[in-house]
Amino acid sequence: MAATQPQRPTRTLASADFPIDPSSPLFVAQAVVLSALGGAGAGGTLGWARKQNPFQLGVNMGINCGIVSLFFFGTREYLVSPILLGVCATPAHARRAEELETGITEPQSISDVRMNRILDSAIAGAAAGGGLSTFIRGPRTLIPAAFTAGLLATVGQGLVNQSRVWRLELLAKRAREGLPEPAPAFEPAVEVMESFETPAKPDGERRGDAPITSRMMGVLSHILPVKKLSDEDYLAGLEKKRNDVDRRIAEIDAEQLAMWTNAQK
């Protein structure tokens, strides 16, 4: 019988430890600042187009966007995601919880990148949007606002994930284009093969060092920038080219690893 794979123990709300991503504080702060700046820019542009006070409208929209962003990202990073990670709601959450616990990041497939944090954003959007609307407009707007905000958050997260997929595909395409061309098949002449198999003549002289060959190389060296290479020099040149190709392949592997690592953040 085939050996059964060990199953991850089922976690409940009572047994979960609710891990929080260490980068959440900086991420939330950056998201709030960028949202406020984007809202201010959009408000100023809208005020200028409507011939209203662009400064006042920009400040109002900037503050509103910052508050909405704070509620949304704060709810997602400090409430929704820790709960989903703690109970391992999906295989993706189980993997992320293990990564936070071990500190080892695993590569993600394209489908994983497309679905990254979709559920987190949907729940956080519904909770933040419904809560804010209830606080401002009353409890009657809870369900419509939660549905609308959750839908917008889901679509927005999907667009962000798709942009990451496009970026990964572009980087992978550039990496493939940057690979060195394979060396063409080289079939040396019989004389060259013989020089490697029997590099020395019976009297100790190297093959190709006949007087007429030496005189021809001497004349050409004064006319053209040519140089007679020994077998050792030729092999050294091939070794240098191979080292350059190996170094480039190692750089491409490092770039791909960094690309997959940054895709899940």
Side-chain angles (χ1 to χ4, degrees), residues 24-46:
S24 293
L26 180 60
F27 174 77
V28 173
Q30 291 176 343
V32 171
V33 171
L34 292 177
S35 299
L37 292 177
T45 303
L46 184 62

Side-chain angles (χ1 to χ4, degrees), residues 6 10 19 53 55 65 67 80 93 107 113 115 119 127 224 235 254:
T10 304
N53 187 347
F55 178 78
C65 289
I67 293 175
V80 176
H93 289 95
V113 176
M115 298 303 298
L119 182 60
L224 300 174
L235 291 176

Side-chain angles (χ1 to χ4, degrees), residues 129-154:
L132 283 175
S133 180
T134 300
F135 178 76
I136 297 174
R137 300 177 181 177
R140 291 181 301 177
T141 62
L142 172 61
I143 296 179
F147 176 80
T148 303
L151 180 61
L152 291 176
T154 303

